[in-house]
Amino acid sequence: MNSKKMKRLIYLIFVSCICASLHAQDAEEIPQQDLTAKEKIQAARIGLITQRLGLTTEQAQKFWPIYNEFIQKRTGLRQQYKDAERNINPNNPDPKQQQALVDLGLKIKQDELTLEKEYSGKLMSVITAQQMLNLRQAERDFRNIIINMLNNRRLQQQRKENFRDKNMRLRERKN
């Protein structure tokens, strides 16, 4: 199988996994309720990144533990901000809490940059500079694909609801 066909096959598998998982649950429910959908998305992400980077078996064995550790730590940093954000009462905002949240956000961004520098060095011991650039592009592409799929799903859901509402109004008029 040539490279072009392989890319298409990986992309089709990727899109199929995402569509199947998103069809099963609303986007808001995926992280909490449908672990298989989350796992399918993760598998698709791994497939896309592996394909885009052209990782050898040896590279993949070294790359994925480092990359997964990086993602886990970055997620932990972002979770700190989300937790702090939830503690602010939107109905009764406290300027001190708001300032603390702004400061925390800046600190977390700085911590993320430090983390990215550290892990870029670790990853560059396994992959080339070109693969590192491809990784960043693959992450952006994956995020855009997910956003587009979620937006398309929402549009389809709205169309179904509009169609259902229109049919209900027509039935009411007939009665």
Side-chain angles (χ1 to χ4, degrees):
M1 189 178 282
N2 68 26
S3 174
K4 204 172 197 178
K5 286 183 181 180
M6 186 61 140
K7 286 179 183 178
R8 282 187 184 150
L9 178 62
I10 289 171
Y11 182 74
L12 287 173
I13 292 169
F14 167 75
V15 171
S16 298
C17 288
I18 299 296
C19 288
S21 63
L22 291 178
H23 182 69
Q25 293 286 327
D26 289 332
E28 296 81 29
E29 296 173 338
I30 289 173
Q32 297 165 357
Q33 294 180 3
D34 191 0
L35 293 178
T36 59
K38 193 173 185 178
E39 289 167 359
K40 287 178 184 177
I41 291 171
Q42 182 64 16
R45 184 169 170 253
I46 290 169
L48 178 74
I49 290 173
T50 300
Q51 181 268 326
R52 291 280 180 91
L53 270 58
L55 294 176
T56 65
T57 304
E58 184 179 310
Q59 282 180 314
Q61 288 174 346
K62 294 176 183 176
F63 171 83
W64 285 110
I66 297 168
Y67 183 76
N68 289 335
E69 184 177 316
F70 165 70
I71 294 298
Q72 184 180 10
K73 287 183 178 183
R74 185 176 67 183
T75 301
L77 287 173
R78 292 177 178 177
Q79 189 62 47
Q80 288 177 22
Y81 183 82
K82 289 177 186 178
D83 293 343
E85 194 175 37
R86 280 189 218 117
N87 291 331
I88 291 183
N89 183 352
N91 300 323
N92 188 15
D94 176 10
K96 288 181 182 177
Q97 277 187 323
Q98 290 174 332
Q99 183 62 50
L101 187 61
V102 169
D103 293 343
L104 178 63
L106 293 172
K107 181 191 175 306
I108 288 173
K109 283 184 181 184
Q110 184 63 52
D111 291 348
E112 279 188 70
L113 180 59
T114 302
L115 186 70
E116 188 171 340
K117 285 179 182 179
E118 175 189 344
Y119 277 87
S120 288
K122 289 179 180 182
L123 289 169
M124 292 287 288
S125 70
V126 176
I127 61 175
T128 67
Q130 182 61 54
Q131 287 174 310
M132 189 68 178
L133 294 172
N134 292 348
L135 172 62
R136 291 183 178 144
Q137 185 61 47
E139 287 173 330
R140 283 190 295 273
D141 291 348
F142 184 79
R143 186 172 40 255
N144 289 337
I145 289 168
I146 294 297
I147 289 169
N148 288 337
M149 294 179 113
L150 291 172
N151 287 338
N152 287 339
R153 181 144 185 346
R154 284 187 191 113
L155 285 173
Q156 288 176 344
Q157 188 65 29
Q158 287 175 346
R159 287 180 187 141
K160 285 179 184 177
E161 289 172 7
N162 290 342
F163 182 74
R164 189 174 31 236
D165 292 345
K166 185 177 176 182
N167 281 339
M168 289 179 71
R169 284 193 300 267
L170 287 173
R171 288 182 194 148
E172 288 172 0
R173 287 183 191 163
K174 288 181 181 180
N175 293 334

